[in-house]
Amino acid sequence: MKDIPDRLLQQWSDRVARLGSETVGRIMEPQAHQVTSGNAQYDHASDFLHAVLKDLGQKVQ
């Protein structure tokens, strides 16, 4: 978790709490499949979290 800044972790926590775990799961599933199939590459865990937070942010607003 050293690659992920505290502010990103807090954003993650806040957005997950607002949307609920089922919605977050639906958002993350396609991104997780891309990672596991090798179609998406992230240099750091924080890069992946940035991408997920962007998608979550679109759902929260």
Side-chain angles (χ1 to χ4, degrees):
M1 291 295 221
K2 291 181 181 181
D3 290 352
I4 302 175
D6 288 342
R7 67 176 178 73
L8 287 181
L9 293 173
Q10 186 59 49
Q11 284 179 354
W12 168 259
S13 178
D14 292 346
R15 290 179 184 171
V16 168
R18 282 188 236 154
L19 292 173
S21 60
E22 289 182 21
T23 301
V24 172
R26 285 193 302 271
I27 291 168
M28 286 192 64
E29 183 178 9
Q31 291 174 331
H33 283 293
Q34 287 179 342
V35 170
T36 58
S37 69
N39 293 331
Q41 298 288 326
Y42 298 98
D43 292 336
H44 299 282
S46 62
D47 294 338
F48 176 76
L49 189 53
H50 271 290
V52 173
L53 285 169
K54 180 179 176 185
D55 287 348
L56 290 175
Q58 292 172 358
K59 298 288 185 195
V60 170
Q61 296 176 11

